[in-house]
Each structure stands twice: as structure tokens, then as C-alpha cells.
Coordinates of all heavy atoms in Angstrom, one line a residue:
N1 N 31.2 -154.2 -100.3 CA 30.4 -154.8 -99.3 C 31.1 -155.9 -98.5 O 30.9 -156.0 -97.3 CB 29.1 -155.4 -99.9 CG 28.1 -154.4 -100.4 OD1 28.1 -153.3 -99.8 ND2 27.3 -154.7 -101.4
D2 N 31.9 -156.7 -99.2 CA 32.5 -157.8 -98.5 C 33.5 -157.4 -97.4 O 33.7 -158.0 -96.4 CB 33.2 -158.8 -99.5 CG 34.3 -158.1 -100.3 OD1 34.1 -156.9 -100.7 OD2 35.4 -158.7 -100.5
I3 N 34.2 -156.2 -97.6 CA 35.1 -155.6 -96.6 C 34.3 -155.2 -95.4 O 34.7 -155.5 -94.3 CB 35.9 -154.5 -97.2 CG1 36.9 -155.0 -98.2 CG2 36.6 -153.7 -96.1 CD1 37.8 -153.9 -98.8
V4 N 33.2 -154.5 -95.6 CA 32.4 -154.0 -94.5 C 31.8 -155.2 -93.7 O 31.9 -155.3 -92.5 CB 31.2 -153.2 -95.0 CG1 30.3 -152.8 -93.9 CG2 31.7 -151.9 -95.7
V5 N 31.2 -156.2 -94.4 CA 30.6 -157.3 -93.7 C 31.6 -158.1 -92.9 O 31.4 -158.6 -91.8 CB 29.9 -158.2 -94.7 CG1 29.4 -159.5 -94.1 CG2 28.7 -157.5 -95.3
S6 N 32.8 -158.4 -93.5 CA 33.8 -159.2 -92.8 C 34.3 -158.6 -91.5 O 34.5 -159.3 -90.5 CB 35.0 -159.5 -93.7 OG 35.7 -158.3 -94.1
H7 N 34.5 -157.2 -91.5 CA 34.9 -156.6 -90.3 C 33.8 -156.6 -89.2 O 34.1 -156.8 -88.0 CB 35.4 -155.2 -90.6 CG 36.7 -155.1 -91.3 ND1 36.8 -155.3 -92.6 CD2 38.0 -154.9 -90.8 CE1 38.1 -155.2 -93.0 NE2 38.8 -154.9 -91.9
L8 N 32.6 -156.3 -89.6 CA 31.5 -156.3 -88.6 C 31.3 -157.7 -88.1 O 31.0 -157.8 -86.9 CB 30.2 -155.7 -89.3 CG 30.3 -154.3 -89.8 CD1 29.0 -153.8 -90.3 CD2 30.8 -153.3 -88.7
S9 N 31.4 -158.7 -89.0 CA 31.2 -160.1 -88.5 C 32.3 -160.4 -87.5 O 32.1 -161.1 -86.5 CB 31.3 -161.0 -89.7 OG 30.2 -160.8 -90.6
L10 N 33.6 -160.0 -87.8 CA 34.7 -160.3 -86.9 C 34.4 -159.7 -85.5 O 34.5 -160.5 -84.5 CB 36.0 -159.6 -87.4 CG 37.2 -159.7 -86.4 CD1 37.7 -161.1 -86.3 CD2 38.3 -158.7 -86.9
F11 N 33.9 -158.5 -85.4 CA 33.6 -157.9 -84.1 C 32.5 -158.7 -83.4 O 32.7 -159.0 -82.2 CB 33.1 -156.5 -84.2 CG 34.2 -155.5 -84.7 CD1 33.9 -154.4 -85.4 CD2 35.5 -155.8 -84.5 CE1 34.8 -153.5 -85.8 CE2 36.5 -154.9 -84.9 CZ 36.2 -153.8 -85.6
K12 N 31.5 -159.0 -84.1 CA 30.4 -159.8 -83.4 C 30.8 -161.2 -83.0 O 30.4 -161.7 -82.0 CB 29.2 -159.8 -84.4 CG 28.5 -158.5 -84.7 CD 27.4 -158.6 -85.7 CE 26.7 -157.3 -85.9 NZ 25.6 -157.4 -86.9
N13 N 31.6 -161.8 -83.8 CA 32.1 -163.2 -83.5 C 32.8 -163.3 -82.2 O 32.8 -164.3 -81.5 CB 33.0 -163.7 -84.6 CG 32.2 -164.0 -85.9 OD1 30.9 -164.1 -85.9 ND2 32.9 -164.2 -87.0
I14 N 33.5 -162.2 -81.8 CA 34.3 -162.3 -80.6 C 33.7 -161.4 -79.4 O 34.4 -161.1 -78.4 CB 35.8 -161.8 -80.8 CG1 35.8 -160.3 -81.3 CG2 36.4 -162.7 -81.9 CD1 37.2 -159.8 -81.4
G15 N 32.4 -161.1 -79.6 CA 31.7 -160.4 -78.5 C 31.9 -158.9 -78.4 O 31.5 -158.3 -77.4
L16 N 32.4 -158.3 -79.5 CA 32.5 -156.9 -79.5 C 31.3 -156.3 -80.1 O 30.6 -156.9 -81.0 CB 33.8 -156.4 -80.3 CG 35.1 -156.8 -79.7 CD1 36.2 -156.4 -80.6 CD2 35.3 -156.3 -78.3
K17 N 31.0 -155.0 -79.8 CA 29.8 -154.4 -80.4 C 30.2 -153.4 -81.4 O 30.7 -152.3 -81.1 CB 29.0 -153.7 -79.3 CG 27.7 -153.0 -79.7 CD 27.0 -152.3 -78.6 CE 25.7 -151.6 -79.1 NZ 25.0 -150.9 -78.0
P18 N 30.1 -153.7 -82.7 CA 30.5 -152.7 -83.7 C 29.6 -151.5 -83.8 O 28.4 -151.6 -83.9 CB 30.4 -153.6 -85.0 CG 29.4 -154.6 -84.7 CD 29.5 -154.9 -83.3
I19 N 30.2 -150.3 -83.7 CA 29.5 -149.1 -83.8 C 29.8 -148.3 -85.1 O 28.9 -147.8 -85.8 CB 29.8 -148.2 -82.6 CG1 29.6 -148.9 -81.2 CG2 29.0 -146.9 -82.6 CD1 28.2 -149.3 -81.0
I20 N 31.1 -148.2 -85.4 CA 31.5 -147.4 -86.5 C 32.6 -148.1 -87.3 O 33.4 -148.8 -86.7 CB 32.1 -146.0 -86.0 CG1 31.1 -145.2 -85.3 CG2 32.8 -145.2 -87.1 CD1 30.0 -144.6 -86.2
L21 N 32.5 -148.0 -88.6 CA 33.6 -148.4 -89.5 C 34.1 -147.2 -90.3 O 33.4 -146.6 -91.1 CB 33.2 -149.5 -90.4 CG 34.3 -150.4 -91.1 CD1 35.1 -151.1 -90.0 CD2 33.7 -151.4 -92.0
D22 N 35.3 -146.7 -90.0 CA 35.8 -145.5 -90.5 C 36.9 -145.9 -91.5 O 37.3 -147.1 -91.7 CB 36.4 -144.7 -89.4 CG 36.4 -143.2 -89.7 OD1 36.3 -142.8 -90.9 OD2 36.4 -142.4 -88.8
Y23 N 37.5 -144.9 -92.2 CA 38.7 -145.2 -93.1 C 39.8 -144.3 -92.7 O 39.6 -143.2 -92.1 CB 38.3 -145.1 -94.6 CG 38.3 -143.8 -95.2 CD1 39.4 -143.3 -95.9 CD2 37.2 -142.9 -95.0 CE1 39.4 -142.1 -96.5 CE2 37.2 -141.6 -95.6 CZ 38.3 -141.2 -96.3 OH 38.3 -140.0 -96.9
H24 N 41.0 -144.7 -93.1 CA 42.3 -144.1 -92.6 C 42.3 -142.6 -92.9 O 42.6 -141.8 -92.0 CB 43.5 -144.7 -93.3 CG 43.9 -146.0 -92.6 ND1 45.2 -146.3 -92.4 CD2 43.2 -147.0 -92.0 CE1 45.3 -147.4 -91.8 NE2 44.1 -147.9 -91.5
G25 N 42.0 -142.2 -94.1 CA 42.1 -140.7 -94.5 C 41.2 -139.9 -93.6 O 41.6 -138.8 -93.2
N26 N 40.0 -140.3 -93.4 CA 39.1 -139.6 -92.5 C 39.6 -139.5 -91.1 O 39.5 -138.4 -90.4 CB 37.7 -140.2 -92.6 CG 36.6 -139.3 -92.1 OD1 36.6 -138.1 -92.4 ND2 35.7 -139.8 -91.3
A27 N 40.1 -140.6 -90.6 CA 40.6 -140.6 -89.2 C 41.7 -139.7 -88.9 O 41.7 -138.9 -87.9 CB 40.9 -142.1 -88.8
I28 N 42.7 -139.7 -89.8 CA 43.9 -138.8 -89.6 C 43.5 -137.3 -89.8 O 44.0 -136.5 -89.2 CB 45.1 -139.2 -90.5 CG1 46.4 -138.6 -90.0 CG2 44.8 -138.9 -91.9 CD1 46.8 -139.0 -88.6
S29 N 42.6 -137.1 -90.8 CA 42.2 -135.7 -91.0 C 41.5 -135.1 -89.8 O 41.7 -134.0 -89.3 CB 41.2 -135.6 -92.2 OG 40.7 -134.3 -92.4
K30 N 40.6 -135.9 -89.1 CA 39.9 -135.5 -87.9 C 40.9 -135.2 -86.8 O 40.8 -134.2 -86.1 CB 38.9 -136.6 -87.5 CG 37.7 -136.7 -88.4 CD 36.7 -137.7 -87.8 CE 37.4 -139.1 -87.8 NZ 36.4 -140.2 -87.3
L31 N 41.9 -136.1 -86.7 CA 42.9 -135.9 -85.6 C 43.7 -134.7 -85.8 O 43.9 -133.9 -84.8 CB 43.8 -137.2 -85.5 CG 44.8 -137.2 -84.4 CD1 44.1 -137.3 -83.1 CD2 45.8 -138.3 -84.6
M32 N 44.1 -134.4 -87.0 CA 44.9 -133.2 -87.2 C 44.1 -131.9 -87.0 O 44.6 -130.9 -86.4 CB 45.5 -133.2 -88.6 CG 46.4 -134.3 -89.0 SD 47.8 -134.5 -87.8 CE 48.7 -133.0 -88.2
N33 N 42.9 -132.0 -87.4 CA 42.0 -130.8 -87.1 C 41.7 -130.6 -85.6 O 41.6 -129.5 -85.1 CB 40.7 -131.0 -87.9 CG 39.7 -129.8 -87.7 OD1 40.1 -128.7 -87.8 ND2 38.5 -130.1 -87.4
F34 N 41.6 -131.7 -84.9 CA 41.2 -131.7 -83.5 C 42.4 -131.2 -82.7 O 42.2 -130.5 -81.7 CB 40.8 -133.1 -83.0 CG 40.4 -133.1 -81.6 CD1 39.1 -132.7 -81.2 CD2 41.2 -133.7 -80.7 CE1 38.7 -132.8 -79.9 CE2 40.8 -133.8 -79.3 CZ 39.6 -133.3 -79.0
G35 N 43.6 -131.5 -83.1 CA 44.8 -131.3 -82.2 C 45.2 -129.8 -82.1 O 45.8 -129.5 -81.1
E36 N 45.0 -129.0 -83.1 CA 45.4 -127.6 -83.1 C 46.9 -127.4 -83.1 O 47.4 -126.6 -84.0 CB 44.8 -126.8 -81.9 CG 43.2 -126.8 -82.0 CD 42.7 -126.0 -80.8 OE1 43.4 -125.7 -79.9 OE2 41.4 -125.8 -80.8
L37 N 47.6 -128.0 -82.2 CA 49.1 -127.9 -82.2 C 49.7 -129.2 -82.5 O 49.4 -130.2 -81.8 CB 49.6 -127.4 -80.9 CG 49.2 -125.9 -80.4 CD1 49.7 -125.7 -79.0 CD2 49.8 -124.9 -81.4
V38 N 50.5 -129.3 -83.5 CA 51.3 -130.6 -83.7 C 52.7 -130.3 -83.4 O 53.3 -129.3 -83.9 CB 51.1 -131.1 -85.2 CG1 51.5 -130.0 -86.2 CG2 51.9 -132.4 -85.4
N39 N 53.3 -131.1 -82.5 CA 54.7 -130.8 -82.1 C 54.9 -129.4 -81.6 O 55.9 -128.7 -82.0 CB 55.7 -131.2 -83.1 CG 55.6 -132.7 -83.5 OD1 54.7 -133.4 -83.1 ND2 56.5 -133.1 -84.4
S40 N 53.9 -128.8 -81.0 CA 53.9 -127.4 -80.4 C 53.8 -126.4 -81.5 O 54.0 -125.2 -81.2 CB 55.2 -127.2 -79.6 OG 55.2 -128.1 -78.5
T41 N 53.5 -126.7 -82.7 CA 53.3 -125.7 -83.8 C 51.9 -125.6 -84.2 O 51.2 -126.6 -84.4 CB 54.1 -126.2 -85.1 OG1 55.5 -126.3 -84.7 CG2 54.0 -125.2 -86.2
Y42 N 51.4 -124.4 -84.3 CA 50.0 -124.1 -84.7 C 49.7 -124.5 -86.1 O 50.5 -124.2 -87.0 CB 49.6 -122.7 -84.5 CG 48.1 -122.4 -84.7 CD1 47.2 -122.8 -83.8 CD2 47.7 -121.7 -85.9 CE1 45.8 -122.5 -84.0 CE2 46.4 -121.4 -86.1 CZ 45.4 -121.8 -85.2 OH 44.1 -121.6 -85.4
I43 N 48.7 -125.3 -86.4 CA 48.5 -125.9 -87.7 C 47.1 -125.6 -88.3 O 46.8 -125.9 -89.5 CB 48.7 -127.4 -87.7 CG1 47.7 -128.1 -86.7 CG2 50.1 -127.7 -87.4 CD1 47.7 -129.6 -86.9
N44 N 46.2 -125.0 -87.6 CA 44.8 -125.0 -88.0 C 44.5 -124.1 -89.2 O 43.5 -124.3 -89.9 CB 43.8 -124.6 -86.9 CG 43.5 -125.8 -86.0 OD1 44.3 -126.7 -85.8 ND2 42.3 -125.7 -85.4
D45 N 45.4 -123.2 -89.6 CA 45.2 -122.5 -90.8 C 46.2 -122.9 -91.9 O 46.4 -122.2 -92.9 CB 45.4 -121.0 -90.5 CG 46.8 -120.7 -89.9 OD1 47.6 -121.6 -89.6 OD2 47.2 -119.5 -89.8
S46 N 46.7 -124.1 -91.7 CA 47.7 -124.6 -92.7 C 47.1 -125.7 -93.6 O 46.1 -126.4 -93.2 CB 48.9 -125.2 -92.0 OG 49.5 -124.3 -91.1
T47 N 47.7 -125.9 -94.7 CA 47.4 -127.1 -95.6 C 48.4 -128.1 -95.3 O 49.6 -127.9 -95.5 CB 47.4 -126.7 -97.0 OG1 46.4 -125.7 -97.3 CG2 47.0 -127.9 -97.9

């Protein structure tokens, strides 16, 4: 809880509107799935 609260408080303190708090593993997984080609190589059926 303290990690979540501290980041949301930071955003609000400087006038930003917090919408989402994500974590690294989820963010990179979404990006790799979204991209389809990494360095011009097809990856969507790869592990």
C-alpha cells in the first residue's frame, strides 16, 4: 500500500492527474505483443 499511495500522492502534489499505476513486467509484455515485429523480425508466435 505504501508504494501505491506514495506514487499517487506525488502525482497529485505536483498537479498531475494519476490514472494508472502499472508494473514493469506487464508494461514490457504489452509492448512486445503490440509491436509484432522487433528489429524487423516477426515475434508474435515466439516465446
Side-chain angles (χ1 to χ4, degrees):
N1 287 334
D2 61 317
I3 289 182
V4 175
V5 170
S6 64
H7 286 80
L8 298 183
S9 297
L10 171 70
F11 292 155
K12 292 179 180 178
N13 289 347
I14 62 173
L16 297 177
K17 182 181 178 181
I19 306 295
I20 296 291
L21 197 59
D22 209 337
Y23 83 100
H24 276 219
N26 195 43
I28 195 64
S29 176
K30 289 182 297 183
L31 185 66
M32 298 305 295
N33 179 48
F34 182 76
E36 295 180 352
L37 295 174
V38 57
N39 300 4
S40 301
T41 300
Y42 185 72
I43 59 170
N44 277 30
D45 59 353
S46 302
T47 300

